[in-house]
């Protein structure tokens, strides 16, 4: 059955997604993600293989061991406040970025990232259009 | 699995883009673009991309229906045709054929429109019209008078060679998106782009000069420009002397239209009026693109004539990169008009009160006589239905209950008819009022020719069969004719086109065999003629070959803001919807992007009314009220609000005032007030 | 290769969005964002040289193939790290990851062909050329008309 090192789990749900027997359950609200690893008799090790944090291992079945549970508070986007990711996942992404990247944007949700990019890309052009407000003639 | 690619013409706007419908085992399974298309070059806007979504929508009408109480029951074609024949027969016996009115469809093919107006006139009624009355009737009337022809004078790709593009009363970026690529091309080649609109739109984003005028003041702006052009000697005296008549009267009429005075009326700074006039007049090739912002006014015909005047006094006609370009909305409104589905014209624009025209068609159709026009226009038909002069109406592919102004009156008028027959693809608000509903076919389910806004005639092929018992509209019209004892010939589109070749001079050489990729632009007087992309390059088809300069005087819109209704409501469109929305509101990709009726309010107007963005509000005019969601934006100036007319409700509010000649309603200017709904 | 946007040409018609959705079974990879009342721009996958989505991908499903950021669906576990790693927010995860595939198998990305305003292109040089012409013209006309 599954053993998990909860200190390493990042809450990504890979294990739950790949388990062919639906032994790893999850629930999610707007604010929280909960994962429950049920006792299983399978020895397929798909979850072990696909865990990005290498937090899972297989141990002999033991009725006495409680089924591990984890719960993650979802982190709020620093721009819109919508909760969009677990903290360990965000940390892992920050650590994986090429060194040249400024990781501030990681703490914004994907939608806000798009909006930020849209504003950045059009900033100069918009300034030109606003200056060329009703009546002001000017090529850009 | 073999997939067949069937070339079709997009059923939405007047740009007439082509695309292929991918057919597998008799079903439409996808679309492919058409890179060889002269206008779109393979592009397609969001509406066109979503076209397959309404094609097999569950709401499609699939059988004939008869009214029973508040609802409908399915009936056979035989029974439906019998009911129609009896009903029309009764009205004709009691009130004469003039008691029947036909509304043709700017979305149906040329062949279908031709056959419908032929049916109406053979039945003996002069009352046939189409929704051009609500959009470009002023262009039809105005340009026929000034230039001798009503349609874009130059083709869309030609815009790419223009050096000054003046866009007034058109939001082409949202309504004819492919035209934007030609404007951009011209711009990058050094063209100046001037846009006049009361509202900031993606079209104004393209402008070098943006003239944000007050709704309803277009004649003033155009007169101001004419004044500057004349005062600064920027006219083309040579061109005026050789090709026009009436210049002196115009010079006199704009004498007092100084930039300062015009600025007071329009709200456009005087310097900008001067700049726009100079740019337009002195560029080597200038074009004017316009649409509903010019036509949907009680002064619509004047507005069009004022535009025509500018082009005529500066000689910007008849050459590449020049032109007067009415951007027509529907995929086949140009065609429906060319086919004479109009109160004042027979096919080819012979006047319906002209004895020679009547004689010619009587002879062509093998009858001793035909009704003398002009018949009632689309808007007049509704009034006549209300007053009892019209007792039966046959409506093909139109939704006056949503598209006409003052919706409540329209509903009442249509309900009061003895017989209302509606032939359509969906149960629209108009169909809901019918006694008999006939299920028609959409573009991909029939073949025929469509004429886009450039006067380009293109053949659209049949990709799939219509659903259930629905038939092509051509077959339906022919069957209705038969049941009335009128032989309209074989309901085969190619045969009808052949008749059109014989009876419509501008289409004489536009035969089925020649309609391959790219289509043909009328006038095309014989089968070897290449078509006429640019009009007026050798004079004008008017008396003594001269265009008419028609002076116009500024008249304010019929309704203005006052104490009770302090705001000015103007209406228009958005990119993802089309007209009354019967097709786009049934396309999930489009509806999702613009799901609700909204009203744009300037924050300075919203704050004192304690309205915040997203609040449900009630917009009221003297005609009635409509609920909408508030959108606070600086796109509209203080005092002006905007609503799209794709949702029922907007036209409950709009004014009934009409242009005295073209009879188009003044959709663009109504006085209103707004209150929060909670 | 990527799809580049000539932002001055975007007219906010959302054709690229609708078309991308249509050819990708109902959910697409292009998002048009409006900036105030004055501009719009589609945000799409840049196929970054140093793709952070590929760097974050544990299974190797996301990887570079030449200049393209490619996706091998069989390897994906739906962990969602890629979605969090994309600075432009254009990778989304629903059971598995989804991202722009440059319409592999078609002659040209659908968004590029369909754009009515001709604002999208895979030809970066074309955009540079246009930008240079614009700048030259602005200088020649003194920036005012």
């Amino acid at each position: 059955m599954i053993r998990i090192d909860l200190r390493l789990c990042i809450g990504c749900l890979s294990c739950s997604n790949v388990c062919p027997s639906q032994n790893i359950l999850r629930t999610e609200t707007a604010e929280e993600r909960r994962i429950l690893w049920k006792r299983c008799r399978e020895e397929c090790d798909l979850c072990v293989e696909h865990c990005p944090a290498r937090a899972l291992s297989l141990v002999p079945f033991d009725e006495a061991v409680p089924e591990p549970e984890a719960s993650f508070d979802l982190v709020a986007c620093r721009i819109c406040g919508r909760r969009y990711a677990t903290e360990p996942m965000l940390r892992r992404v920050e650590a994986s970025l090429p060194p040249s990247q400024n990781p501030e944007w990681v703490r914004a949700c994907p939608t806000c990232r798009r909006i930020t990019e849209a504003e950045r890309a059009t900033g100069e052009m918009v300034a030109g259009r606003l200056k060329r407000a009703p009546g002001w003639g000017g090529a850009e | 699995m073999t997939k067949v690619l069937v070339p079709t013409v997009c059923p939405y706007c007047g740009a007439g883009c082509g695309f292929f419908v991918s057919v597998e085992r008799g079903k439409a399974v996808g679309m492919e673009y058409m890179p060889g298309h002269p206008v779109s070059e393979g592009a397609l806007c969001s509406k066109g991309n979503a076209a397959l979504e309404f094609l097999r929508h569950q709401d499609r009408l699939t059988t004939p229906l008869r009214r029973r109480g508040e609802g409908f029951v399915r009936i056979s074609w035989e029974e439906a045709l019998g009911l129609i024949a009896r009903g029309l027969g009764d009205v004709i016996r009691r009130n004469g054929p003039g008691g029947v009115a036909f509304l043709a469809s700017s979305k149906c093919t040329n062949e279908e429109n031709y056959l419908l107006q032929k049916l109406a006139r053979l039945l003996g009624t002069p009352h046939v019209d189409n929704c051009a009355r609500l959009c470009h009737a002023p262009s039809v009337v105005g340009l026929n008078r000034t230039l001798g022809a009503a349609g874009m004078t130059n083709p869309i790709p030609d815009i790419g060679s223009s050096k000054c593009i003046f866009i007034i009363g058109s939001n082409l970026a949202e309504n004819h998106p492919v035209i934007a690529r030609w404007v951009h091309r011209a711009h990058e080649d050094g063209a100046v782009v001037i846009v006049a609109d009361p509202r900031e739109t993606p079209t104004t984003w393209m402008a070098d000069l943006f003239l944000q005028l007050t709704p309803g003041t277009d004649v003033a702006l155009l007169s101001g420009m004419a004044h500057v052009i004349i005062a600064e000697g920027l006219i083309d005296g040579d061109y005026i002397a050789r090709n026009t008549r009436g210049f002196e009267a115009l010079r006199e009429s704009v004498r007092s239209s100084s930039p300062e005075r015009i600025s007071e009326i329009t709200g456009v700074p005087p310097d900008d009026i001067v700049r726009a006039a100079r740019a337009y007049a002195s560029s080597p090739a200038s074009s004017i693109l316009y649409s509903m912002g010019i036509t949907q006014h009680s002064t619509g015909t004047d507005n069009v004539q004022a535009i025509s005047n500018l082009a005529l006094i500066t000689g910007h006609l008849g050459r590449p990169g020049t032109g007067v370009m009415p951007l027509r909305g529907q995929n086949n409104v140009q065609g429906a008009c060319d086919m004479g589905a109009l109160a004042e014209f027979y096919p080819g624009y012979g006047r319906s009160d002209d004895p020679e025209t009547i004689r010619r068609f009587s002879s062509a159709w093998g009858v001793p006589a035909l009704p003398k026009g002009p018949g009632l226009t689309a808007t007049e038909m509704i009034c006549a239905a209300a007053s009892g002069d019209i007792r039966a109406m046959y409506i093909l592919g139109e939704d006056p209950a949503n598209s006409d102004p003052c919706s409540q009156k329209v509903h009442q008028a249509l309900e009061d008819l003895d017989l209302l027959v509606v032939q359509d693809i969906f149960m629209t608000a108009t169909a809901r009022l019918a006694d008999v509903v006939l299920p028609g076919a959409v573009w991909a389910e029939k073949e025929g020719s469509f004429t886009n806004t450039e006067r380009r005639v293109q053949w659209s092929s049949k990709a799939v069969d219509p659903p259930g018992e629905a038939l092509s509209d051509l077959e339906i019209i022919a069957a209705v004719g038969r049941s009335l004892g009128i032989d309209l010939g074989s309901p085969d589109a190619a045969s009808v086109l052949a008749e059109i070749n014989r009876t419509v001079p501008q289409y004489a050489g536009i035969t089925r065999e020649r309609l391959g990729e790219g289509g043909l632009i009328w006038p095309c007087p014989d089968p070897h003629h290449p078509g006429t992309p640019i009009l007026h390059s050798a004079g004008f088809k008017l008396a003594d070959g001269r265009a008419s300069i028609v002076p116009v005087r500024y008249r304010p819109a019929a309704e203005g803001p006052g104490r009770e209704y302090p705001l000015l409501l103007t209406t228009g469109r958005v990119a993802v919807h089309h007209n009354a929305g019967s097709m786009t509101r049934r396309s999930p990709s489009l509806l999702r992007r613009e799901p609700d009726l909204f009203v744009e309010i300037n924050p300075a107007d919203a704050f004192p009314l304690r309205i915040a963005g997203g609040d449900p509000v009630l917009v009221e005019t003297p005609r009635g009220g409509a609920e909408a969601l508030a959108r606070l934006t600086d796109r509209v100036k203080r005092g002006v609000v905007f609503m799209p007319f794709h949702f029922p409700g907007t036209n409950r509010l709009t004014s009934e005032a009409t242009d005295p000649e073209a009879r188009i309603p003044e959709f663009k200017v109504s006085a209103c007030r707004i209150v929060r709904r909670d | 290769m990527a799809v580049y946007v000539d932002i001055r040409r975007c007219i906010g018609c959302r054709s690229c969005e609708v078309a991308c959705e249509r050819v990708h079974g109902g959910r697409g990879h292009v998002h048009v964002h409006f900036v105030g009342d004055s501009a719009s721009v589609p945000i799409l996958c840049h196929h970054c040289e140093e793709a952070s989505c590929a760097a974050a991908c544990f299974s190797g499903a996301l990887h570079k193939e030449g200049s393209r950021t490619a996706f091998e669906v069989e390897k994906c576990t739906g962990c969602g790290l890629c979605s969090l790693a994309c600075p432009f927010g254009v990778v989304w995860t629903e059971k598995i990851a989804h991202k722009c595939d440059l319409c592999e198998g078609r002659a040209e990305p659908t968004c590029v062909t369909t754009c009515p305003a001709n604002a999208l292109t895979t030809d970066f040089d074309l955009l540079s050329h246009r930008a240079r012409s614009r700048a030259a013209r602005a200088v020649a006309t003194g920036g005012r008309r």
Side-chain angles (χ1 to χ4, degrees):
Chain A
M1 69 183 202
I2 304 167
R3 181 168 72 188
I4 179 158
D5 184 344
L6 288 173
R7 295 166 304 173
L8 297 178
C9 174
I10 62 173
C12 73
L13 299 177
S14 286
C15 54
S16 178
N17 289 339
V18 305
C19 175
S21 326
Q22 276 112 52
N23 283 322
I24 306 173
L25 307 176
R26 78 265 212 123
T27 58
E28 191 153 321
T29 65
E31 288 162 1
E32 189 193 36
R33 177 179 291 178
R34 305 176 76 123
I35 311 175
L36 169 68
W37 292 266
K38 295 185 70 59
R39 236 173 261 114
C40 77
R41 292 196 181 277
E42 279 74 40
E43 312 238 347
C44 71
D45 94 345
L46 277 173
C47 59
V48 174
E49 189 191 330
H50 291 281
C51 172
R54 299 195 210 284
L56 292 167
S57 53
L58 285 184
V59 295
F61 190 86
D62 186 351
E63 197 63 52
V65 175
E67 290 173 330
E69 268 186 65
S71 109
F72 296 88
D73 289 328
L74 294 173
V75 176
C77 167
R78 70 183 179 86
I79 299 178
C80 73
R82 190 177 64 85
R83 297 176 182 280
Y84 71 106
T86 69
E87 177 65 36
M89 284 183 79
L90 291 180
R91 294 233 180 106
R92 186 187 167 104
V93 165
E94 280 164 344
S96 74
L97 290 177
S100 47
Q101 293 251 16
N102 170 9
E104 243 187 18
W105 50 263
V106 176
R107 298 281 160 171
C109 71
T111 306
C112 289
R113 293 177 194 175
R114 291 198 298 270
I115 295 173
T116 305
E117 171 62 12
E119 285 165 2
R120 184 205 65 78
T122 58
E124 204 185 304
M125 182 176 74
V126 166
R129 283 179 182 167
L130 287 179
K131 221 169 24 136
R132 191 236 57 204
W136 204 89
E140 63 260 348
Chain B
M1 181 46 53
T2 37
K3 262 198 241 190
V4 179
L5 294 182
V6 179
T8 69
V9 179
C10 183
Y12 277 114
C13 87
C17 302
F19 62 85
F20 297 96
V21 175
S22 213
V23 180
E24 207 176 318
R25 276 200 273 247
K27 284 184 140 65
V29 295
M31 314 168 56
E32 291 298 333
Y33 300 128
M34 200 182 272
H37 193 276
V39 176
S40 64
E41 303 178 313
L44 196 63
C45 80
S46 44
K47 294 187 283 289
N49 267 291
L52 295 185
E53 292 177 29
F54 76 84
L55 173 59
R56 274 306 160 119
H57 195 277
Q58 62 185 23
D59 288 352
R60 282 292 302 278
L61 297 171
T62 56
T63 71
L65 300 166
R66 173 172 72 81
R67 167 176 296 285
R68 187 165 61 193
E70 285 305 307
F72 290 91
V73 290
R74 307 168 98 186
I75 54 176
S76 66
W77 274 106
E78 204 186 316
E79 193 184 333
L81 294 171
L83 279 172
I84 295 170
R86 269 197 304 285
L88 289 180
D90 284 347
V91 168
I92 293 174
R93 261 189 305 280
R94 280 199 311 269
N95 307 82
V100 183
F102 286 78
L103 254 190
S105 175
S106 57
K107 294 205 90 55
C108 285
T109 64
N110 288 326
E111 294 76 24
E112 286 158 353
N113 278 295
Y114 180 85
L115 227 53
L116 192 75
Q117 61 82 35
K118 183 176 179 184
L119 172 64
R121 282 154 174 158
L122 287 178
L123 204 55
T125 177
H127 308 309
V128 58
D129 207 27
N130 77 77
C131 74
R133 197 62 48 191
L134 305 179
C135 78
H136 267 288
S139 300
V140 176
V141 172
L143 295 182
N144 264 318
R145 170 180 299 131
T146 57
L147 305 180
M152 266 174 101
T153 62
N154 293 52
I156 291 171
D158 202 53
I159 295 170
S161 342
S162 187
K163 290 305 175 203
C164 176
I165 302 173
F166 179 29
I167 303 171
I168 176 167
S170 157
N171 183 7
L172 58 89
E174 293 199 68
N175 302 318
H176 300 90
V178 289
I179 296 185
R181 66 172 39 207
W182 299 101
V183 176
H184 282 136
R185 227 163 266 189
H187 199 197
E188 272 152 34
D189 261 348
V192 179
V193 178
I194 305 168
V195 180
D197 194 314
R199 188 176 161 248
E200 183 173 3
T201 66
T203 307
T204 65
W205 297 348
M206 299 195 279
D208 294 305
L209 185 53
F210 171 31
L211 311 173
Q212 196 169 13
L213 77 173
T214 303
T217 59
D218 307 87
V219 166
L221 175 66
L222 295 163
S223 300
M225 290 175 66
H227 171 102
V228 172
I229 292 171
I230 294 173
E232 298 196 0
L234 298 172
I235 56 172
D236 186 336
D238 217 23
Y239 185 90
I240 294 174
R242 276 185 292 114
N243 295 302
T244 75
R245 148 173 25 94
F247 174 71
E248 285 310 319
L250 175 73
R251 186 211 295 269
E252 193 48 47
S253 77
V254 301
R255 193 179 288 279
S256 58
S257 301
S258 67
E260 291 67 34
R261 192 166 154 263
I262 295 303
S263 176
E264 273 167 48
I265 300 173
T266 60
V268 177
D271 279 351
D272 289 339
I273 299 174
V274 173
R275 214 179 274 128
R278 284 178 186 160
Y280 176 78
S282 51
S283 106
S286 302
S287 54
I288 308 181
L289 281 55
Y290 75 91
S291 198
M292 303 296 95
I294 282 291
T295 57
Q296 284 179 338
H297 291 273
S298 57
T299 59
T301 310
D302 281 353
N303 293 347
V304 171
Q305 287 169 159
I307 285 180
S308 184
N309 291 344
L310 273 189
L312 287 170
I313 66 177
T314 52
H316 285 306
L317 277 167
R319 294 175 286 122
T322 65
V324 169
M325 328 276 241
L327 302 181
R328 311 206 64 166
Q330 294 279 21
N331 57 322
N332 205 27
V333 64
Q334 179 71 51
C337 293
D338 298 344
M339 295 299 109
L342 285 170
E344 66 269 70
F345 292 113
Y346 266 70
Y349 299 104
R351 295 201 63 89
S352 60
D353 55 7
D354 169 40
E356 175 53 33
T357 301
I358 294 179
R359 196 204 54 75
R360 196 159 58 80
F361 278 94
S362 306
S363 162
W365 294 345
V367 292
L370 283 170
K372 180 161 178 280
L376 294 172
T377 64
T379 36
E380 288 168 338
M381 281 177 198
I382 303 297
C383 296
S387 68
D389 292 320
I390 293 288
R391 309 260 10 110
M393 276 188 79
Y394 190 111
I395 299 181
L396 170 66
E398 295 280 337
D399 191 9
N402 270 327
S403 319
D404 280 35
C406 200
S407 311
Q408 304 91 306
K409 280 212 186 150
V410 179
H411 276 248
Q412 193 57 55
L414 294 177
E415 270 176 352
D416 288 344
L417 291 168
D418 292 339
L419 176 69
L420 174 60
V421 181
V422 174
Q423 182 176 330
D424 211 311
I425 58 174
F426 289 120
M427 184 60 76
T428 61
T430 304
R432 226 177 277 283
L433 303 169
D435 298 296
V436 181
V437 179
L438 303 175
V442 303
W443 96 104
E445 296 164 351
K446 58 190 176 182
E447 60 170 9
S449 66
F450 292 94
T451 307
N452 78 353
T453 186
E454 307 167 285
R455 297 170 282 111
R456 185 189 304 267
V457 183
Q458 303 182 90
W459 190 263
S460 186
S461 300
K462 175 175 168 170
V464 293
D465 287 326
E469 295 174 57
L471 295 173
S472 83
D473 299 89
L474 198 66
E475 286 175 277
I476 300 174
I477 296 168
V480 170
R482 270 196 306 277
S483 70
L484 290 165
I486 294 175
D487 179 14
L488 293 170
S490 136
D492 157 61
S495 316
V496 180
L497 180 57
E499 180 176 333
I500 292 170
N501 294 147
R502 290 192 298 275
T503 56
V504 182
Q506 298 90 332
Y507 281 61
I510 301 185
T511 61
R512 173 70 188 95
E513 301 72 45
R514 299 184 70 200
L515 281 179
E517 228 175 273
L520 275 169
I521 300 185
W522 69 255
C524 183
D526 67 69
H528 301 289
H529 194 279
T532 316
I534 298 182
L535 288 178
H536 315 309
S537 46
F540 297 86
K541 295 232 182 323
L542 287 168
D544 73 2
R546 285 166 183 273
S548 274
I549 296 176
V550 179
V552 294
R553 286 234 116 81
Y554 167 67
R555 278 179 292 129
E559 217 165 81
R563 217 166 39 86
E564 221 193 323
Y565 298 99
L567 298 169
L568 216 152
L569 168 69
T570 192
T571 64
R573 300 168 156 119
V574 298
V576 298
H577 280 298
H578 185 69
N579 291 5
S582 57
M583 290 149 61
T584 55
R585 281 185 290 119
R586 288 185 169 90
S587 304
S589 306
L590 303 176
L591 185 64
R592 175 166 73 238
R593 290 171 160 84
E594 202 67 88
D596 303 302
L597 178 57
F598 62 85
V599 53
E600 283 181 357
I601 314 176
N602 187 290
D605 290 322
F607 292 160
L609 297 169
R610 296 188 307 123
I611 292 173
D615 281 353
V617 298
L618 179 64
V619 184
E620 288 177 298
T621 67
R623 266 76 50 195
E627 291 166 1
L629 297 179
R631 236 177 238 192
L632 269 52
T633 172
D634 279 313
R635 284 191 180 195
V636 286
K637 272 183 171 170
R638 265 198 95 149
V640 176
V641 300
F642 169 86
M643 290 171 80
F645 52 76
H646 310 295
F647 303 86
T650 301
N651 278 328
R652 267 186 245 137
L653 309 172
T654 43
S655 168
E656 287 175 281
T658 57
D659 179 286
E661 269 197 282
R663 311 262 200 282
I664 191 173
E666 188 152 58
F667 289 108
K668 290 295 188 247
V669 189
S670 312
C672 79
R673 63 172 174 237
I674 305 186
V675 292
R676 269 174 56 174
R677 274 209 325 113
D678 42 17
Chain C
M1 178 177 80
V3 174
Y4 304 104
V5 183
D6 187 343
I7 55 168
R8 289 182 193 285
R9 283 193 169 218
C10 181
I11 52 175
C13 65
R14 310 178 78 172
S15 310
C16 50
E17 264 187 21
V18 175
C20 179
E21 258 177 37
R22 181 171 64 73
V23 301
H24 288 99
R27 273 189 77 172
H29 307 113
V30 183
H31 306 264
V32 175
H33 283 276
F34 288 84
V35 181
D37 298 317
S38 312
S40 62
V41 61
I43 305 297
L44 15 78
C45 175
H46 291 219
H47 291 269
C48 308
E49 248 178 66
E50 285 187 4
S52 46
C53 59
C57 179
F58 172 73
S59 67
L62 281 168
H63 56 280
K64 294 300 293 183
E65 249 173 43
S67 55
R68 242 167 35 103
T69 305
F71 176 61
E72 223 174 305
V73 64
E74 303 82 34
K75 293 187 174 160
C76 178
T77 64
C79 71
L81 285 168
C82 52
S83 302
L84 297 177
C86 173
F88 308 109
V90 294
V91 181
W92 50 277
T93 307
E94 197 177 274
K95 293 213 185 3
I96 51 165
H98 302 261
K99 73 172 283 303
C100 168
D101 58 356
L102 288 174
C103 287
E104 201 179 0
R106 297 175 67 90
E108 189 176 55
T110 305
C111 56
V112 172
T113 315
T114 207
C115 175
N118 215 351
L120 301 177
T121 178
T122 50
D123 182 351
F124 186 75
D125 292 332
L126 171 66
L127 288 200
S128 310
H129 175 79
R130 273 195 207 148
R132 283 197 300 278
S133 307
R134 265 191 213 115
R137 231 187 17 263
V139 168
T141 61
R144 289 178 64 94
R145 305 267 189 187

